[in-house]
Amino acid sequence: MSLSAHKLSWSAGGASILHGVSLGVRPGELLGIIGPNGSGKTSLMSLLAGIRRPQSGEVLLSGQPLHGLARREVARRIALVEQQAETAERITARQAVELGRTPHLGAFSPWSGKDDIIVDQALEEVAMTGLAGRLWHTLSGGERQRLHIARALAQQPEILLLDEPTNHLDIGHQIGLLHLVHRQNLTVVAALHDLNHAAMFCDRVALMQAGRIEAIGPPAEVLTAARIQSVFGVTAEVVRDGTGGCFIRYRHPDLPAPRPGWIAAAS
């Protein structure tokens, strides 16, 4: 299933946030959206999910305008994990994941054993089976984030949208979660802060700056030392791993910058 954005523009509070953003998400790929704070990543994710409508431009889901589809139909095909997703309800961890089945339920399709199996699998995927009976308000931020991912998996979407999914997670769970997402048979768009996570797991990355797409392509092509300096204001060395991948080595602000055009090579 394909998802594409065509010349999206969005403003809020009198400020222009997105300016003519266009991109296409290929079926089955993990596309990372990267950029500094305020670059428009979260706004773009909300437009791709259909939560907001662009002031100009359109989002297409398999060639159909997203705003023309019923919300239940969109929810069966797209799942969104928001950056600040929360619930004030007094529910258990399992009940929070069960909410992911809502788009598939109705008068003629009540809850069944199949739904129980899907929820069980989602909890197991994020290693939360043992905490299924815990009340939501007793869980840590990291545990809640893993349950948000489980709820999205229980939704059984074809497209998964993740807005900074590794928030509140320690490094082990950050990498484990991205690895989990990467091996799902899904089309995934993830807004990420960590450039090394993007380089490690994304098939392509879209680099945003000031509400525009600065560059899009494989991580090793987009994440150059010059772009990192220009967009993030950070001096870094881009280390090639010999297989077409890369990782970023940031330099201490007090150290001199590497020679212009210098690119580190893995030993």
Side-chain angles (χ1 to χ4, degrees), residues 84-144:
Q84 301 294 337
E86 196 49 271
T87 177
E89 299 295 329
R90 192 172 179 82
I91 60 176
T92 65
R94 182 184 178 84
Q95 287 170 332
V97 178
E98 289 175 350
L99 292 173
R101 299 303 301 154
T102 302
H104 303 278
L105 303 177
F108 300 103
S109 53
W111 189 276
S112 69
K114 175 185 175 182
D115 298 294
D116 283 320
I117 292 171
I118 291 170
V119 170
D120 288 340
Q121 290 175 338
L123 284 164
E124 184 176 351
E125 288 275 26
V126 299
M128 288 293 289
T129 301
L131 298 180
R134 285 269 300 274
L135 288 174
W136 180 266
H137 72 274
T138 69
L139 299 168
S140 70
E143 289 165 344
R144 294 179 186 182

Side-chain angles (χ1 to χ4, degrees), residues 2-213:
S2 64
L3 183 67
S4 59
H6 299 273
K7 299 182 179 179
L8 300 182
S9 293
W10 168 259
S11 299
S16 183
I17 297 173
L18 295 177
H19 315 275
V21 171
S22 296
L23 59 82
V25 186
R26 299 167 182 168
E29 80 168 335
L30 199 168
L31 175 67
I33 308 295
I34 57 176
N37 289 341
S39 59
K41 300 188 300 295
T42 293
S43 295
L44 176 58
M45 296 296 285
S46 67
L47 294 179
L48 292 176
I51 293 176
R52 295 171 175 166
R53 286 188 62 172
Q55 282 148 344
S56 64
E58 64 178 350
V59 176
L60 300 179
L61 180 62
S62 291
Q64 296 179 284
L66 192 63
H67 69 266
L69 300 174
R71 284 306 307 165
R72 179 179 288 268
E73 183 178 357
V74 173
R76 287 174 177 169
R77 300 161 76 179
I78 298 176
L80 170 67
V81 176
E82 298 179 82
Q83 185 180 155
Q84 301 294 337
E86 196 49 271
T87 177
E89 299 295 329
R90 192 172 179 82
I91 60 176
T92 65
R94 182 184 178 84
Q95 287 170 332
V97 178
E98 289 175 350
L99 292 173
R101 299 303 301 154
T102 302
H104 303 278
L105 303 177
F108 300 103
S109 53
W111 189 276
S112 69
K114 175 185 175 182
D115 298 294
D116 283 320
I117 292 171
I118 291 170
V119 170
D120 288 340
Q121 290 175 338
L123 284 164
E124 184 176 351
E125 288 275 26
V126 299
M128 288 293 289
T129 301
L131 298 180
R134 285 269 300 274
L135 288 174
W136 180 266
H137 72 274
T138 69
L139 299 168
S140 70
E143 289 165 344
R144 294 179 186 182
Q145 186 70 352
R146 286 153 64 191
L147 288 171
H148 287 312
I149 300 294
R151 185 184 63 210
L153 294 178
Q155 199 170 322
Q156 292 192 310
E158 296 176 69
I159 297 174
L160 180 60
L161 305 180
L162 305 171
D163 189 7
E164 296 183 19
T166 55
N167 272 3
H168 310 298
L169 300 180
D170 60 44
I171 186 61
H173 282 114
Q174 288 176 20
I175 292 175
L177 184 145
L178 290 172
H179 177 60
L180 162 68
V181 169
H182 189 256
R183 61 185 173 84
Q184 300 296 313
N185 186 28
L186 293 170
T187 300
V188 181
V189 183
L192 300 170
H193 261 310
D194 193 308
L195 301 186
N196 280 312
H197 287 168
M200 187 183 301
F201 292 104
C202 295
D203 301 299
R204 291 188 303 148
V205 294
L207 175 60
M208 296 191 69
Q209 183 178 29
R212 293 182 171 87
I213 301 290

